[in-house]
Structures are given as structure tokens and as C-alpha cells.
Amino acid sequence: WVVHPVLCRNVMVRGITVESWNGNNDGVDPDSCSDVLIENCTLRTGDDSIAIKSGRDQDAWRVGRPSENIVIRNNVMGSRHAGVCIGSQMSGGVRNVYVEDCRMESVSSALYFKGNLDRGGLVEHVRARRIHVQKVRSGLVWFETTYHGYRGGNFPPSFRDYIMEDLTCDEATGYAINVEGAEKAPIRDVVIRRATVHKARHPLSVKLVENFRLEEVRVNGQLLPTI
């Protein structure tokens, strides 16, 4: 991870360029940090361009420091994995994240929210708007609650209160939108509004989600049902 502030307050990352294509090379990873601004950066990476974290498993539960009050704006991103990711090391929790006016080139997912059933953690109050993506391979928006868990699944994460609007994507070679909860960890309260994916292999996959709503979402020229 190229820029990795840990347990910090009042963090500003402005105008940097990262070109780092090795495996697991994230660009900027605020970890259990509060009051963070990431803006006007160019991040082309071998893993996630930006990944918000808050520690993992028992260590993060002991420390108990969430990442919170994070603004990500006016960045250019290209990566082998996600543009903006929350997780999967998010056992301390993440809240109040705002992503806006970003441009992404080729990424696996534009907005990726991931946890596993061993790790716990609450991720809530996430907002994204005015995001343009050239190409995604897994999903413009992707929620995953079963990422790489190995210890029995007794500590599921919680994902709730997301609003994402004014999203555009030229091409999705996998799903346009992929939201996958688990029986122990259904995803709650998600709104995707005014999103357009011009070309996608699969428009939509939604599993184990409560209070999920699409408003003016078009994929392959077709308006998707509100659900």
C-alpha cells in the first residue's frame, strides 16, 4: 500500500500521482483515520486505487477506531481491482464516506464494499455521486459480504445506508450491479439513482438485501425495475 495513514486525524492527500502495478499495491489506504480528504490525485495501481480500512479481526475490535468522515473527490483512477473500496479489513467500522466527481478508467469494480463473515464491522452512511467509469470487469457497484473467510463465519459484517447517484459506465464485461449479502449479514438500505451502464454482459444480481431501490437506472438501453 503506497500511502497508508494509520490511526490519524486530519489527513489531506492532494495532487499526488501513483503508478504502482505490483500485486496488492493500493494507492491510498486510510486505516482507522478520521477527517480525511483525498482529492485531485491520479492513482493507477495493481490493486485498489483507494481502499478505506479500519483494522482486522480481534486487533481492530480491541482498538475500536473506525475510519470516518472521509471525502474523496476529483480523482482519476485506474486499477486491476477497485477504484474505491471499503474493506475488507474493516473490523473497526467505517462511516460517513463521500465520493464525488471522480473519473475511472479500467477497474474491476468502481465502488466495491467487501467484508467477510469472520471479521465483523459496521459500514454505514456512504454517499457517491457523479462518477464516470470507462470499463468495469466485476461491477459498477459491487457489495460482497463473504470475501475470504476461514474461521466459521460467526462474526458477520453489517452494511447499511448507501446512496449512489449520477453514475455512468461505458462498458461492464461482468455485472452492471452486483449486490450479494449473506443470510447472517443481509445488506440494508441501498439506493442507486440515475445510473447508466451503456453496455453490460449481465445487468443485475441482487441477493439477500433489505430495502434496496433502483431509481432511473438504465443498462443496455433498458430501464431496470425499481425493485
Side-chain angles (χ1 to χ4, degrees):
W1 303 344
V2 177
V3 178
H4 182 207
V6 181
L7 295 166
C8 297
R9 293 187 173 91
N10 302 320
V11 177
M12 183 184 295
V13 181
R14 174 181 288 157
I16 70 168
T17 297
V18 174
E19 296 272 358
S20 184
W21 290 102
N22 289 330
N24 208 33
N25 276 177
D26 293 352
V28 182
D29 286 12
D31 196 338
S32 293
C33 293
S34 60
D35 305 322
V36 178
L37 174 63
I38 304 169
E39 69 174 359
N40 301 332
C41 297
T42 299
L43 307 169
R44 296 186 176 101
T45 59
D47 206 303
D48 303 321
S49 292
I50 296 172
I52 300 168
K53 303 177 181 293
S54 61
R56 61 190 297 172
D57 309 333
Q58 292 91 338
D59 182 58
W61 302 337
R62 176 183 59 81
V63 174
R65 280 280 300 274
S67 277
E68 60 185 348
N69 309 330
I70 297 172
V71 175
I72 298 167
R73 66 188 183 198
N74 299 316
N75 300 292
V76 175
M77 302 176 223
S79 74
R80 293 198 175 102
H81 289 280
V84 175
C85 174
I86 298 178
S88 64
Q89 298 91 343
M90 32 62 75
S91 299
V94 177
R95 60 187 178 223
N96 306 334
V97 177
Y98 304 88
V99 184
E100 63 182 14
D101 298 311
C102 290
R103 179 170 61 86
M104 301 184 192
E105 299 161 345
S106 178
V107 294
S108 178
S109 302
L111 301 167
Y112 184 23
F113 311 107
K114 62 179 177 177
N116 70 43
L117 299 178
D118 299 323
R119 190 151 284 169
L122 168 63
V123 179
E124 63 179 349
H125 313 322
V126 176
R127 303 292 184 265
R129 62 182 181 175
R130 299 191 299 272
I131 310 297
H132 176 71
V133 189
Q134 294 176 8
K135 185 176 182 179
V136 298
R137 298 179 294 280
S138 297
L140 174 62
V141 176
W142 186 12
F143 286 81
E144 183 179 15
T145 55
T146 57
Y147 179 84
H148 291 185
Y150 304 102
R151 296 189 303 278
N154 296 314
F155 301 96
S158 296
F159 293 85
R160 69 186 187 201
D161 187 19
Y162 291 72
I163 299 176
M164 293 162 279
E165 55 191 3
D166 300 312
L167 314 177
T168 59
C169 176
D170 296 336
E171 182 180 8
T173 59
Y175 285 96
I177 297 168
N178 189 359
V179 183
E180 185 175 353
E183 288 189 10
K184 294 181 179 180
I187 295 161
R188 295 181 168 89
D189 305 324
V190 176
V191 177
I192 301 175
R193 179 184 295 134
R194 297 187 302 276
T196 299
V197 179
H198 294 289
K199 180 181 178 182
R201 179 175 297 176
H202 306 291
L204 180 67
S205 177
V206 178
K207 300 176 183 177
L208 295 166
V209 182
E210 298 178 2
N211 193 21
F212 176 79
R213 186 173 180 84
L214 301 177
E215 300 178 5
E216 300 181 50
V217 176
R218 287 177 170 80
V219 179
N220 296 330
Q222 300 295 316
L223 185 67
L224 296 187
T226 301
I227 299 182

